[in-house]
Amino acid sequence: MALDSKIPAGEMKEKWNDYKGHVKLVNPANKRKLEVIVIGTGLAGASAAAALGEMGYQVKAFCFQDSPRRAHSIAAQGGINAAKNYQNDGDSVFRLFYDTVKGGDYRAREGNVHRLAEVSAAIIDQCVAQGVPFAREYGGLLSNRSFGGTQVQRTFYAAGQTGQQLLLGAYSALERQVALGNVTMYSRHEMLDVVMIDGKARGIIARDLVNGKLERHFGHAVLLCSGGYGNVFYLSTNAMGSNVTAAWKAHKKGAFFGNPCFTQIHPTCIPVSGDHQSKLTLMSESLRNDGRIWVPKQANDSRKATDIPEEERDYYLERRYPAFGNLVPRDVASRAAKERCDAGFGVGTTKMAVYLDFADAIKRYGKIEAGKSGNHSPAEADVIAMGKKVVAEKYGNLFEMYEKITGENPYELPMRIYPAVHYTMGGLWVDYELQTTVPGLYALGEANFSDHGANRLGASALMQGLADGYFVIPYTLGNYLADEIRTAAINTDHPAFADAEKAVNDRINQLMNIKGNESVESFHKRLGKIMWDKCGMARNAQGLTQAIAEIQRLKKEFWSNVKIPGDKNEMNTELDKAGRVADFIELGELMCIDALNRNESCGGHFREESQTEDGEAKRDDDNYSYVAAWEYKGDSSWELNKEPLEFEIVKPTQRSYK
């Protein structure tokens, strides 16, 4: 199938304006007759539902949590990017566009990325107007900090809880529309299928997770805002409920899956401490602003960090990447940490960690504070006390979180960190309008593949979610719905709804009737281990081929031996989880197929067979400068469709952060 990305013609910086000027519109009276379904109420979903409700559409929003406020967007810590150039350090829309394409290792679509950079500044204004309490300078101006892969300060933040504050802003806008009657909220509901009528998405089958009943819901269009699939690895920084089910059901109904193997490993996480763990905790990338990353120069050094003198420490990122230092992009920092640990320089009891040290920052800030009061030769103890106060103001909740989890005080000892699965750049393939290959079915935020290429720059996830919901979909959805105003609401007695509901019910019955001996959790753990070992930070043809065979065996075993207690007609969290893990198993197979097919290294996809002499990712632009869009063809069967990537402006070169 030929993929039409629908990128508007003309100059890059005029494409979005030109599109908005010529797009079809729906008049206000007609908007009231049109129904839109939104799946997921994180930043992308809440902002889309609020924006569309405000415009007059009849919106139904669904989330599996007990409140939209529990969406995983709440966990984002470090910040949100925007090209406002408040620091006067050379930032611009072009620079954000350039950094994003380069950071994604030239595997993103230029048109979408440029639009993202353009609307970024408006997001900050929108959020400030909603009352989001961004950090401010002493004089009242909004503050910025640096993130990886850039040489400017463009990240707006609210201490270490930016996601929470942004989500509360979007949630307030959403609840206002709920109160006005423009949005109907269905919490504790999970989407289990897309209903197709005459080749278009016309609704969903959802399960009420409290009483187990299946429900039919009609919509003129369906928007998937259901987040990423990082939990395919079992251990990740994602909330334990985060899953791929909504996107996977859409994939099986004809929506192509784009670049599934592109997953992001975050370099700054609290290391795994044992087999008992069910999730990992992120330490914000913002800590790399002030923290310095190092390992001992001597292998297997078991001394306490504070006993290792300065000259015996290897600040390896500063050594290897002098231009960017500790602020190299996530894929580069993660691989460098893995390389040091694999070579025997890791720290802590497991030796699978590196240090993130704030001692220098504490002293630097302390001297600045002392200087403010005219004290230019302060005592060391005073410097440290004042410096700790400044660091606490900037990162306090992150330091508290670290101490609660590890029992160590990061003001006194360096943090120990190690890479972990965090974000997925792959997702449902969408065109410029965020529409999937299924007409009337859209994917927003992390659920789509569109903006980050093979590696997402830090602080761009929140930016993309809100850009898609507040500023993109209100235009692009209207272009589709303008032709749907003569379509009356379709009664859910329609045979397509009955057939979809029967298929969902049959699958639930099949799961409940297996009555095996092994828990859902243990299957998920086993899948995660295969994925992390063979499709994680490093991949090779032999490991991926083995992984595909192992996952196929695991799938057979799951469908013959999984144990699901309880009943389907009640609240049954094991049943919910079983459906999600079954989907993860199928996705895991596709991810390994995609990773095996992409015989190059790019961004977070590191094929060991394809690296430069000094161990950096080596792309193959002649053969792999495309988006891999996979079409589902049946059990363990997919067909590859390619969307060629054309670079008008940012010419692909070997990425260098040195």
Side-chain angles (χ1 to χ4, degrees), residues 238 262-264 421-425 445-446 452 456 461 464:
N238 288 232
F262 285 171
T263 51
Q264 174 157 83
V421 173
H422 179 54
Y423 186 92
T424 50
M425 282 78 60
E446 195 180 352
H452 308 295
R456 177 175 67 74
Q464 188 209 345

Side-chain angles (χ1 to χ4, degrees), residues 192-196 203-207 212-217 253 492-509 568-569:
L192 292 180
D193 211 352
V194 181
V195 178
M196 304 285 294
I204 63 161
I205 304 297
R207 182 167 181 268
K213 286 193 172 68
L214 296 181
E215 298 176 4
R216 307 172 183 185
H217 294 276
K253 280 287 171 84
T492 54
D493 292 340
H494 190 287
F497 278 93
D499 292 348
E501 185 182 322
K502 183 182 182 302
V504 170
N505 200 30
D506 288 350
R507 187 174 191 257
I508 290 172
N509 287 335
K568 68 170 189 172
N569 299 313

Side-chain angles (χ1 to χ4, degrees), residues 66-77:
D66 50 8
S67 159
R69 284 176 310 191
R70 302 293 297 248
H72 186 58
S73 303
I74 205 163
Q77 295 169 350

